Amino acid sequence: MGWLILLALVALVLLALWKFGRVTGPALQFAAAGLLLAGAGYAWQGHPGAEGHYKPPPVRQKVPDTAFAETRGEMLGEFDNAATWLTLAESYQRSGDTKAGVDIIRSGLRKDDRDADLWVGLGNALVIHADGMMTPSAELAFQRAQAIAPDHPGPKFFYGLALAQGQKYDEAEAIWRNLLATAPPDASWREMVEERLAALAQARAMNLTVPQVR
């Protein structure tokens, strides 16, 4: 059947060239030679008798909300421009498409590269995409957020979370303790930082990995 279809196509092409394209003589012979060469390639490498096999698209494993998604509203806010981008990115992360999560936040940064919350979100998204490891690009994103908003607790807090997830406990603890030391006594987020320090101490005492804070 494959050969019959190929021959029919060759005939149709030559007929169209002769009738509608006014191709005649040597030009028509040259076109026929090209079509025959294509047929020779098909005969050499084609497998018309092989059975087709449907290959389903890879299934991404759905994951629950990360600690970043659960706590960023308290630390960063929920109703600003950054929250819109971060919420969209998190929907892709939950479906397992971590690269799309990174790309969406980068799209937000192309519109406003002075948004510290988006830089924090990018750092977190890059850590998620790297299966919980702090990569150089993620670290740069967190540092950029801190440079833009040096007095905001969010960049430092979430940088500490990412470090703890990568089992860099000493660095995470130092950041969180410094954050508490410079925080106002009535800061609404003090308890959140204290809880993380307590979880870190408990994990060390039990010789466990700190629960992932992706």
Side-chain angles (χ1 to χ4, degrees), residues 161-182:
L161 285 182
L163 288 169
Q165 181 176 333
Q167 300 184 20
K168 297 182 178 181
Y169 307 143
D170 292 341
E171 295 178 47
E173 183 179 6
I175 289 172
W176 287 336
R177 292 201 179 281
N178 180 66
L179 192 56
L180 284 179
T182 57

Side-chain angles (χ1 to χ4, degrees), residues 20-194:
F20 300 106
R22 306 300 181 185
V23 177
T24 58
L28 186 61
Q29 294 175 7
F30 182 77
L35 292 170
L36 290 175
L37 181 62
Y42 175 76
W44 179 35
Q45 293 192 338
H47 300 283
E51 294 185 6
H53 294 282
Y54 171 70
K55 185 176 181 181
V59 178
R60 297 188 178 97
Q61 183 178 1
K62 292 186 177 181
V63 296
D65 270 335
T66 65
F68 175 83
E70 293 173 349
T71 59
R72 68 170 172 81
E74 300 175 56
M75 188 68 75
L76 302 180
E78 298 180 278
F79 304 106
D80 56 6
N81 176 65
T84 302
W85 289 102
L86 295 175
T87 299
L88 182 58
E90 287 158 6
S91 69
Y92 280 91
Q93 290 164 356
R94 280 192 296 271
S95 71
D97 193 350
T98 57
K99 183 179 184 302
V102 172
D103 292 340
I104 287 168
I105 298 174
R106 281 177 170 158
S107 295
L109 283 169
R110 280 194 287 271
K111 295 180 179 295
D112 183 5
D113 65 354
R114 295 291 299 172
D115 193 316
D117 292 358
L118 282 178
W119 282 107
V120 173
L122 178 61
N124 176 75
L126 289 167
V127 169
I128 293 175
H129 189 55
D131 294 326
M133 299 305 296
M134 176 69 73
T135 63
S137 55
E139 189 150 6
L140 283 172
F142 283 116
Q143 290 174 354
R144 181 67 184 273
Q146 293 179 52
I148 294 172
D151 298 326
H152 196 290
K156 299 181 181 69
F157 175 73
F158 290 113
Y159 182 42
L161 285 182
L163 288 169
Q165 181 176 333
Q167 300 184 20
K168 297 182 178 181
Y169 307 143
D170 292 341
E171 295 178 47
E173 183 179 6
I175 289 172
W176 287 336
R177 292 201 179 281
N178 180 66
L179 192 56
L180 284 179
T182 57
D186 59 346
S188 60
W189 44 265
R190 283 187 67 95
E191 184 177 354
M192 192 187 309
V193 180
E194 290 168 349

